């Protein structure tokens, strides 16, 4: 790599992106989708040491599993860590986060327009959780799919919610946190489902399940699910915060020009291909060490991903969703464009490639499974 050291500026960045793409291609695994035995939705998984920890809504409450691999989570015993003794209502999409060595599980509970975000915490992943605390999110509106992360030394909370008291559309919001349970200041909108490819299925139109990750340049990304989860048009898309951008300023966020992981070619971003084996992949979990975006992977090899989807050839329904073990890698020199809004109309940087399988082999990624298709 001595020749790379002689390159500076844009040339070095371009070379880095090419090398990362080559590594991503060569490390990708078999094309067959890796369905787990867990018939469920909304996976949330992190790794602590050599142990993988997942959380899911089950039995009118929340259950935690621990295993030596993502694939083994489905056969691991589920331990109930919280029950809805207050009869809050439907319990949706718990997210497990580790902050300062303590486990926090965020979840939405309620009925109809009453859904709000709650938190429980413990020093251990599968026992000893506190009673639920409702998060006092700014404006006190319907809220689901919330998660905590730290970026540039500041805690943030990002979630899917309504602007008002009726479900016109689900937007993504962000707010600062002074502690894992204390929002501070206003909520700020960072995405609305206004692009044609995220309005294929609606009434309401959907942006939900946001997950934070940091790219090799240190820029923040929020990868989210678009289109209704009741449809095989469900897919993953990306928001990339411009370099040195303000997370609370909507026009500092640049949106991918299509789905990055989905099952319909008509909604995919140019250069990204639809899945071969599953329909409607979405509501994913980046399987990061300690769940910390500070441990986000470098450019090059693939890294673990979990998502829910329905096997192709199976009727698409909530009841037919399974957890899948997939993978992802960074894809450099990718331009997101926009029009008729403040600020520059294009932004070039890292994007992501998603794969239906884990990277356990060699050879180029076949067309059609979220890979390059080039």
């Amino acid at each position: 790599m001595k020749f790379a050291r002689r390159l500076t500026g844009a040339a070095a960045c371009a070379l880095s992106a090419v090398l990362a793409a080559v590594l991503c291609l060569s490390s990708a695994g078999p094309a067959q989708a890796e369905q787990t035995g867990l018939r469920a939705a909304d996976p949330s998984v992190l790794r602590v040491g050599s142990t993988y920890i997942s959380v899911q809504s089950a039995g009118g409450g929340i259950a935690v599993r621990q295993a030596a691999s993502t694939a083994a989570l489905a056969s691991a015993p589920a331990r109930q860590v919280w029950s809805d003794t207050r009869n809050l209502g439907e319990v949706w999409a718990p997210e497990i986060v580790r902050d300062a060595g303590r486990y926090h599980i965020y979840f939405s509970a309620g009925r109809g327009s009453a859904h709000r975000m709650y938190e429980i915490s413990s020093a251990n992943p599968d026992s000893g959780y506190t009673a639920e605390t409702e998060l006092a999110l700014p404006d006190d509106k319907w809220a689901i799919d919330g998660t905590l992360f730290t970026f540039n030394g500041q805690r943030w909370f990002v979630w899917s919610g309504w602007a008002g008291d009726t479900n016109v559309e689900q937007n993504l919001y962000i707010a600062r946190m002074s502690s894992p349970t204390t929002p501070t200041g206003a909520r700020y909108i960072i995405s609305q489902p206004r692009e044609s490819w995220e309005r294929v299925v609606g009434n309401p139109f959907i942006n939900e399940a946001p997950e934070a990750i940091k790219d090799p340049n240190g820029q923040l990304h929020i990868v989210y699910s678009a289109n209704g989860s009741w449809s095989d048009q469900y897919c993953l898309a990306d928001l990339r915060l411009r370099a040195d951008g303000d997370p609370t300023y909507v026009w500092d966020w640049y949106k991918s020009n299509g789905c990055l992981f989905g099952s319909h070619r008509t909604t995919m971003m140019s250069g990204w291909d639809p899945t071969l084996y599953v329909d409607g992949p979405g509501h994913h979990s980046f399987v990061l060490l300690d769940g910390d975006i500070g441990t986000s992977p470098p450019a090059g090899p693939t890294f673990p991903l979990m998502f829910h989807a329905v096997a192709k050839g199976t009727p698409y329904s909530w009841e037919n969703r399974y957890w899948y073990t997939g993978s992802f890698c960074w894809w450099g020199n990718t331009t997101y464009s926009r029009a008729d809004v403040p600020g520059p109309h294009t932004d070039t940087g890292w994007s992501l490639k998603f794969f239906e399988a884990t990277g356990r082999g060699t050879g180029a990624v076949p067309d059609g499974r979220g890979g390059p298709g080039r």
Side-chain angles (χ1 to χ4, degrees), residues 119-169:
E119 180 267 359
I120 57 177
S121 69
S122 175
N124 302 302
D126 64 352
S127 64
Y129 280 87
T130 59
E132 70 277 2
T133 297
E134 182 178 344
L135 297 185
L137 292 175
D139 298 335
D140 187 27
K141 302 299 182 183
W142 187 90
I144 66 168
D145 296 352
T147 191
L148 180 84
F149 65 94
T150 297
F151 178 66
N152 287 347
Q154 169 67 55
R155 288 186 181 95
W156 299 90
F157 197 77
V158 62
W159 72 98
S160 176
W162 300 348
D165 296 319
T166 56
N167 195 3
V168 177
E169 61 184 1

Side-chain angles (χ1 to χ4, degrees), residues 243-255:
D244 301 318
D246 178 358
T248 68
Y249 181 55
V250 65
W251 302 123
D252 278 353
W253 292 95
Y254 286 77
K255 183 177 290 190

Side-chain angles (χ1 to χ4, degrees), residues 22-319:
V22 170
L23 285 168
C24 176
L25 286 169
S26 64
S27 64
Q32 182 65 49
E34 295 182 7
Q35 184 189 89
T36 74
L38 195 56
R39 195 168 188 162
D42 309 334
S44 176
V45 184
L46 53 76
R47 178 169 68 87
V48 179
S50 59
T51 301
Y52 293 85
I53 302 167
S54 71
V55 63
Q56 68 184 104
S57 57
I62 294 172
V64 169
R65 298 171 187 260
Q66 298 186 74
S69 69
T70 53
L73 285 168
S75 57
R79 185 164 182 174
Q80 198 89 353
V81 298
W82 177 84
S83 296
D84 185 12
T85 58
R86 290 171 52 196
N87 196 25
L88 295 171
E90 300 162 322
V91 178
W92 290 347
E95 285 277 327
I96 188 164
V97 172
R98 199 161 183 247
D99 183 283
R102 191 171 179 85
Y103 296 90
H104 302 264
I105 297 176
Y106 299 92
F107 61 96
S108 178
R111 294 180 177 84
S113 62
H115 268 89
R116 297 295 188 271
M117 291 301 309
Y118 294 83
E119 180 267 359
I120 57 177
S121 69
S122 175
N124 302 302
D126 64 352
S127 64
Y129 280 87
T130 59
E132 70 277 2
T133 297
E134 182 178 344
L135 297 185
L137 292 175
D139 298 335
D140 187 27
K141 302 299 182 183
W142 187 90
I144 66 168
D145 296 352
T147 191
L148 180 84
F149 65 94
T150 297
F151 178 66
N152 287 347
Q154 169 67 55
R155 288 186 181 95
W156 299 90
F157 197 77
V158 62
W159 72 98
S160 176
W162 300 348
D165 296 319
T166 56
N167 195 3
V168 177
E169 61 184 1
Q170 284 179 223
N171 307 315
L172 298 184
Y173 295 92
I174 196 168
R176 292 181 176 86
M177 301 285 283
S178 60
S179 78
T181 57
T182 309
T184 179
R187 66 170 179 164
Y188 299 90
I189 196 165
I190 60 172
S191 181
Q192 294 173 281
R194 300 293 176 82
E195 302 300 321
S196 60
W197 51 268
E198 56 186 351
R199 295 173 68 87
V200 179
V201 172
N203 193 24
F205 298 109
I206 302 290
N207 280 181
E208 65 184 12
E211 296 288 340
I213 193 166
K214 191 164 65 173
D215 73 25
N217 284 343
Q219 289 173 238
L220 179 63
H221 294 245
I222 301 292
V223 177
Y224 66 96
S225 298
N227 291 309
S229 64
W230 57 90
S231 161
D232 63 6
Q233 295 281 354
Y234 207 49
C235 70
L236 295 184
D238 180 38
L239 293 173
R240 181 175 63 217
L241 185 68
R242 70 170 182 83
D244 301 318
D246 178 358
T248 68
Y249 181 55
V250 65
W251 302 123
D252 278 353
W253 292 95
Y254 286 77
K255 183 177 290 190
S256 58
N257 298 116
C259 301
L260 301 183
F261 196 35
S263 54
H264 291 267
R265 183 171 296 278
T266 54
T267 58
M268 301 299 293
M269 182 165 164
S270 176
W272 274 250
D273 291 309
T275 51
L276 284 176
Y277 300 102
V278 302
D279 281 329
H283 206 124
H284 71 298
S285 181
F286 294 116
V287 184
L288 301 178
L289 179 62
D290 293 324
D292 179 6
I293 69 167
T295 68
S296 294
T302 57
F303 285 81
L305 173 83
M306 293 205 78
F307 61 95
H308 77 230
V310 173
K312 280 191 182 293
T314 302
Y316 197 93
S317 68
W318 285 345
E319 292 75 19

